[in-house]
Amino acid sequence: MADHVLLEAGDDLVRQLSHEREAVKAVLELMWNSLDADATDVDVAIERSVMDGVEKVVISDNGDGITPEKARSAFKQVGNSHKPEGGTTARLQRPLHGKAGRGRLRAFAVGDYTRWTSVARAVDDRLMRTTIDSEISRRTTWRIDSQPAPASADTGTKVELWGKQSRHLNRLLEPKAATQITAA
């Protein structure tokens, strides 16, 4: 008889994926997640500090949102994404982008603190709001609302990233970053 052992993401892998020099790549990953959720509108807002550095990045979309069940499944492992190879989105039938399940970890390249606030339709068709958050000091642990709140807003997700002080984040303010994001 053999024992079974579950593979978990080590902090070193998470640290590697959240390399702060890849802030543009992190924003792109989160935007692709929005498109994979059938968003037709994705907005990236960069809030600046009084010293004109990047203080907070907010990515908002009007996609289908994340249910608590989907969050618990998606945020518990790295790799083996729930998105099938060559699959399409549920509602708009667009080709899926994400396949590695790493986008949420790349978010730490932009912020020491991360929060997803998402409104999705529950199985009974009610709109429910779920909040998912983590911080760099416990980057392998995600807090997911166990009791999502009823919501009156439309479906969609807002990702907030803040608390990182790094000159690398200022690359997000360069015209080259906007061109790179638009081209992708």
Side-chain angles (χ1 to χ4, degrees):
M1 179 157 349
D3 290 333
H4 292 84
V5 177
L6 287 176
L7 174 67
E8 296 180 16
D11 190 60
D12 58 337
L13 174 62
V14 176
R15 192 176 326 114
Q16 176 188 359
L17 291 173
S18 63
H19 197 279
E20 68 182 24
R21 292 190 173 152
E22 298 188 358
V24 173
K25 192 174 192 175
V27 169
L28 277 171
E29 288 277 349
L30 294 166
M31 291 177 69
W32 279 114
N33 284 347
S34 293
L35 295 172
D36 285 351
D38 275 332
T40 57
D41 186 26
V42 181
D43 182 64
V44 177
I46 299 174
E47 297 177 17
R48 294 181 177 190
S49 68
V50 293
M51 300 296 288
D52 213 29
V54 174
E55 188 164 273
K56 185 176 190 179
V57 175
V58 179
I59 299 133
S60 304
D61 69 50
N62 67 345
D64 293 338
I66 306 167
T67 64
E69 298 78 21
K70 193 182 284 186
R72 281 190 285 278
S73 172
F75 281 75
K76 79 175 186 180
Q77 66 183 25
V78 177
N80 290 336
S81 174
H82 70 283
K83 300 172 187 176
E85 187 76 38
T88 58
T89 62
R91 193 167 35 84
L92 299 178
Q93 299 298 299
R94 295 191 295 211
L96 289 169
H97 174 266
K99 295 172 190 68
R102 296 178 178 182
R104 68 197 174 281
L105 301 175
R106 291 197 190 279
F108 288 118
V110 180
D112 287 346
Y113 299 92
T114 67
R115 179 184 305 124
W116 277 253
T117 306
S118 189
V119 175
R121 290 209 176 274
V123 290
D124 62 5
D125 210 36
R126 289 183 303 145
L127 290 173
M128 300 300 285
R129 184 181 65 246
T130 302
T131 303
I132 307 151
D133 61 25
S134 188
E135 60 187 73
I136 198 87
S137 65
R138 55 180 179 91
R139 64 182 134 222
T140 58
T141 303
W142 299 87
R143 190 185 65 76
I144 300 171
D145 284 346
S146 58
Q147 297 294 319
S152 57
D154 288 333
T155 62
T157 301
K158 177 169 72 171
V159 180
E160 300 169 275
L161 313 166
W162 74 97
K164 185 174 283 292
Q165 300 297 312
S166 169
R167 68 187 190 319
H168 298 291
L169 288 181
N170 288 336
R171 290 182 180 156
L172 291 169
L173 302 172
E174 296 174 359
K176 180 171 82 171
T179 302
Q180 186 179 359
I181 289 170
T182 303

